[in-house]
Amino acid sequence: MPNASTVDLTNCDREPIHIPGSIQPHGCLLVCDASGSGVLRHSENAPAMLGLPPVLNGLRLDEALGAEAAHTLRNALATSDDPARPALRMALAMPAGRFDVSVHRLEECAIIEFEPASDQSDSPLETARMLISRIRTIGSIDELVEKSARLIFAMLAYDRVMIYRFEHDGAGKVVSEYKRRDLESFRGQYFPASDIPKQARTLYLKNTIRVISDASGTRIPVVPEFDDMQAPLNLSFAHLRSVSPVHCEYLRNMGVAASMSISIIVDGELWGLIACHHYSPRALSMPQRIAAEMFGEFFSLHLSALKQKQILDTANVARKSLDRFLQAAAHNPDIAGLLRQSLDEFSAILPCDGVGLWLDGLWTGQGTTPSASGVAMLADFVSSVANSRIWGTDQISQHLLGSESFAPDVCGVLAIPLSQRPRDYMFFFRKELVQTLNWAGNPDKSYDTGPLGDRLTPRKSFAIWKETVHMKAQRWTDGEWEIAEAIRAVLVEIVLHHNELIADERGKADVRQRMLNEELNHRVKNILAVIKALVGHPVQEGRELGDYVSVLKGRIQALALAHDQVVRGSDGGPLRELLEAELKPYSDGNRKVTLRGPNVWLDSRAFSVMALVLHEMSTNAAKYGALSAGEGQVEIAWTRTQDGDCEITWTESGGPPVTPPARAGFGTVLIDRSIPYELGGKSRVTYDPGGLRGDFIVPARHVHGNDVAATDETVELNAASPAEITELMGDLELLLVEDQMLVAADVEVMLESHGISRVTTAPSAAEALRQLKTFTPDIAILDVNLGSGTSLPIAEELTRRGVPFVFATGYSDRSVIPASFTAPVVRKPYEAQALIGAMVRLLASHGEATKD
């Protein structure tokens, strides 16, 4: 046994956490033979929890559970080929109630886990789909990790959600966090590699989700602990596997009562974890766990794709620069001289503080570099360890004795061989980057031996301990290594002129390029298929290609506006908002746009068709009609007929004289035929010399809304700028009442992006009224329908206090809102421009009323 005085966290690596001989108490477990016929072992709590006979071992499964339940579980076992993907059966009836069950096979055993059935109505597939839909279009890694923490916080309601990324040395850093407001932040803190032992990391790769329901909970023994061969039960893939006492104490020392983690796996390696902490016991239901697991797998795939795209983009930029260098080298007989003259170009390709060329024993350097003698020593060292491959480090003092002579000026080195001869290199250097790391407790402090012998009691202090790191440079990233590979390929091609080596390097580069291109092509082929019809229309004779591209972009944008309504789960959109969106780009000068008509809601099909038609009308007016002149006017009026149809009249005046087109282009065909063909309505355009006129009829079956008396409205052409919004609302306290946590999280992000950060969220009327006992907001957003009630009591209290508020509703009209309330109404799902615009107008009118 090691001396207790030398105990450190590496002793945890010997703990057999995959065979603990016990489970967590929020479920129970049965172990059968591989065919699922007879019970071999069970958790001690299984008889009482399931309402079964006290002696289970030795019984046939149908004797223990009943014929119907046993038949269901054997069928499930037949479909379970991968222990990492157990078969699931929800709400299985047992004598003591209904249970969610997972079944997997491992080492000739069938392991059946039971958890009390969840009463949640949302299916795991629907929950996962909603989460995935919110991150699938994210285009940057930083945004992905930031938004995902917020989404998991909203979905699972843990007190703290962190995204924890592993560094190259195994330590972890909290790169994203969303938490309860009263908790201290762990964002930016580092945790030593020893906090997660090696065997725990192995299990994170096997079983991608881990739930700890109670860090102080009891451990339920498996009976018997060992089989006839004295082998313990392997619980590597069991959700209920009990937790190491060391880890439980670690969590308790942090004040954490329950936790959940989702593995982030990129290219088969553990990139990090989505780690959730709760400060009271919490058992995650099976549907929630399945949704979290599905989200974690999509997150990992999307992260991997973004990393590869980032590397590809960086490499493509470098490749363009290298191609230019290759062209110059093709006409220059002095390759060595050209390389020495081009060092500044190479330093621009790969970010560094110094670059140099060691060629035929001669040194040429630029920027911060070692002396010629230091480079000679460095070249000999790299030759001995690199095997003619690229070699790099961010801490040269850890590898090369004598490097102190040029450190700390040079700490980072990247060496690119120019040939198979281990003597010629291009070197890139980086200076020392002094940085202060915030550790969650001193990672180097000594530890006392605990109750488990030399496995120790984990550290009890998680106060931030700062460490200043010297003699270390900024680390070379994966993308920079990719650039170095590209540089090496080019330099080998130029310097050596060995055709076989050139072909090999080019072949490897082509394979990598083709693979990446195929991946990108796979991602965009569906989008290309959708717009194929629009793109395929030929360019009219005499028409500029740039004009065609501009029109095409507009048509796609118009289609995207309608498509966005459908993707977000809407049943269409308001006609007025569609008109405002299409005409706003032409809202400058003295040109006037007037919209007049009742509240009309178009279903998703009509909204899509009208988006294209109105876009064509708007762009034609801006290019050839009334909106192309400084004093031009466009009036759009619509009414509901007795049959419920929506008649839309588009009238232009004040523009250039109108003449009919010489031939019917694609835009004209689209305007004339879309509404009749797609909706069964009518469309007619009249080319009066004084101004174009369009008459359109959308049939009643595509139209919803009330018959509110028509009101004239001239569109406000200039919306408030971000600076004006921040000045008006940045310091205001806002109350958001929204019962859907995912929706509330989206609205908070939307508001924060417009400089509104002081937001208090309440999921119910009762909670909102409780919040109002301690503060009075400056403005509020109230979801009308809160599931079990409405927000009208809150509206009454805010009215009493003189606080302005905006109603939000998913209904097509205001019928759910009493006439006594005159607050503005925005449609759900929330749209940033509509919501912010309503708030700006509300605050402005409230300020004027207060002055009066």
Side-chain angles (χ1 to χ4, degrees), residues 197 265 428 459 551 658:
I265 300 173
F428 293 86
R459 51 201 168 93
V551 171
V658 176

Side-chain angles (χ1 to χ4, degrees), residues 733-801:
E733 185 82 21
L734 186 144
L735 173 65
L736 170 63
V737 181
E738 170 60 62
D739 63 327
Q740 296 293 323
M741 285 301 297
L742 287 175
V743 176
D746 281 346
V747 176
E748 288 183 22
V749 173
M750 188 185 300
L751 295 171
E752 189 173 7
S753 68
H754 286 80
I756 306 167
S757 59
R758 299 177 62 191
V759 179
T760 298
T761 303
S764 65
E767 175 63 18
L769 292 172
R770 189 185 68 79
Q771 295 274 11
L772 289 174
K773 291 179 181 179
T774 59
F775 87 114
T776 296
D778 298 296
I779 189 172
I781 302 171
L782 309 180
D783 181 9
V784 178
N785 192 339
L786 297 176
S788 59
T790 71
S791 61
L792 299 183
I794 311 155
E796 292 173 356
E797 176 61 20
L798 294 175
T799 301
R800 187 183 66 81
R801 299 191 190 188

Side-chain angles (χ1 to χ4, degrees), residues 213-471:
S213 61
D214 189 353
S216 300
T218 58
R219 295 157 64 90
I220 307 299
V222 174
V223 182
E225 182 177 357
F226 301 99
D227 62 13
D228 295 339
M229 303 299 293
Q230 295 302 302
L233 179 63
N234 189 339
L235 293 174
S236 294
F237 296 95
H239 159 68
L240 293 173
R241 172 170 52 87
S242 65
V243 187
S244 159
V246 175
H247 188 60
C248 284
E249 188 172 351
Y250 176 92
L251 292 175
R252 291 195 298 269
N253 290 341
M254 297 180 72
V256 175
S259 73
M260 189 274 289
S261 62
I262 306 171
S263 302
I264 303 172
I265 300 173
V266 176
D267 298 330
E269 296 184 357
L270 194 61
W271 182 91
L273 299 171
I274 301 176
C276 305
H277 286 173
H278 208 64
Y279 293 87
S280 59
R282 174 171 172 74
L284 206 62
S285 69
M286 184 179 288
Q288 287 178 310
R289 199 166 68 246
I290 295 168
E293 182 180 19
M294 294 171 66
F295 175 81
E297 292 189 356
F298 182 85
F299 178 96
S300 296
L301 291 172
H302 195 39
L303 175 65
S304 178
L306 290 178
K307 284 171 61 68
Q308 292 302 318
K309 184 179 183 300
Q310 189 178 67
I311 292 173
L312 176 62
D313 291 344
T314 304
N316 282 340
V317 172
R319 173 62 66 180
K320 290 179 181 178
S321 298
L322 291 172
D323 285 346
R324 290 193 296 269
F325 181 80
L326 275 172
Q327 292 175 5
H331 306 288
N332 194 321
D334 184 8
I335 299 299
L338 178 63
L339 286 171
R340 292 187 172 96
Q341 294 170 11
S342 304
L343 290 179
D344 56 341
E345 296 181 23
F346 283 100
S347 65
I349 295 174
L350 202 159
C352 61
D353 297 306
V355 62
L357 189 70
W358 180 259
L359 184 61
D360 295 329
L362 297 177
W363 170 246
T364 304
Q366 179 177 295
T368 302
T369 67
S371 63
S373 59
V375 171
M377 177 175 61
L378 183 60
D380 289 340
F381 168 75
V382 173
S383 298
S384 67
V385 298
N387 194 25
S388 298
R389 297 183 179 181
I390 298 173
W391 184 88
T393 180
D394 58 358
Q395 201 167 8
I396 187 61
S397 61
Q398 297 292 316
H399 302 274
L400 177 60
L401 292 176
S403 61
E404 296 82 2
S405 62
F406 48 80
D409 288 339
V410 171
C411 291
V413 177
L414 194 62
I416 301 176
L418 303 185
S419 66
Q420 296 260 7
R421 295 180 300 168
R423 52 178 293 184
D424 299 331
Y425 296 94
M426 177 171 284
F427 288 104
F428 293 86
F429 301 103
R430 282 181 175 169
K431 297 179 182 179
E432 177 186 42
L433 177 65
V434 179
Q435 55 183 323
T436 300
L437 304 183
N438 291 329
W439 293 94
N442 187 344
D444 298 321
K445 65 164 61 172
S446 61
Y447 298 88
D448 298 326
T449 302
L452 303 175
D454 66 359
R455 282 190 263 177
L456 88 162
T457 298
R459 51 201 168 93
K460 296 182 178 180
S461 172
F462 285 87
I464 292 181
W465 185 85
K466 294 183 180 293
E467 175 192 15
T468 301
V469 180
H470 293 279
M471 304 290 288

